[in-house]
Amino acid sequence: MATESTFALQSNILHQVDAIIRASEERSRPLEMDPARSELFDLFAQAEAAGILRDGSDPDLSSDGLCASLSELWGLKEAARQSAEKQTQLPPEHMARMRSLWSVLRMWMEWTYAWDRWAEFHRSR
């Protein structure tokens, strides 16, 4: 059962991820480069230690959960809905955010995969 402190941690991690992404965008630096990559991985490790990386956990900071939360925070869902409705392209600022979202999603998924398989490759033979 999730506690108030778990939800506070999730909110804190989400806002730190947002801040790292915004700082990288302002500097025109890829998220895959340090310091952003290391900072994001530290947040990933915190989420894993708190047990909120699994799909369906409550709160959910799995790759899907994180991206859904960021998408909502940035208004991407509504922008995509309006774009589809009007049959227009996403505005450039939303496309930039979408690219950042995809970068974070990819890294978060890769780290989750590696973390889940760690024991498989590090047990004594």
Side-chain angles (χ1 to χ4, degrees), residues 46-110:
Q46 286 179 35
E48 196 283 328
I52 55 177
L53 277 185
R54 299 282 167 241
D55 285 327
S57 63
D58 187 24
D60 181 358
L61 276 183
S62 65
S63 54
D64 289 342
L66 175 69
C67 288
S69 295
L70 288 171
S71 178
E72 186 172 324
L73 182 66
W74 297 337
L76 291 177
K77 185 176 182 179
E78 179 61 22
R81 187 193 63 73
Q82 287 180 8
S83 175
E85 189 177 279
K86 296 176 183 175
Q87 297 200 0
T88 59
Q89 292 183 345
L90 279 175
E93 67 274 9
H94 285 82
M95 279 306 296
R97 282 288 155 85
M98 201 64 105
R99 286 185 190 98
S100 294
L101 193 65
W102 292 329
S103 291
V104 169
L105 173 67
R106 184 184 48 72
M107 286 188 290
W108 216 260
M109 287 171 52
E110 289 172 355

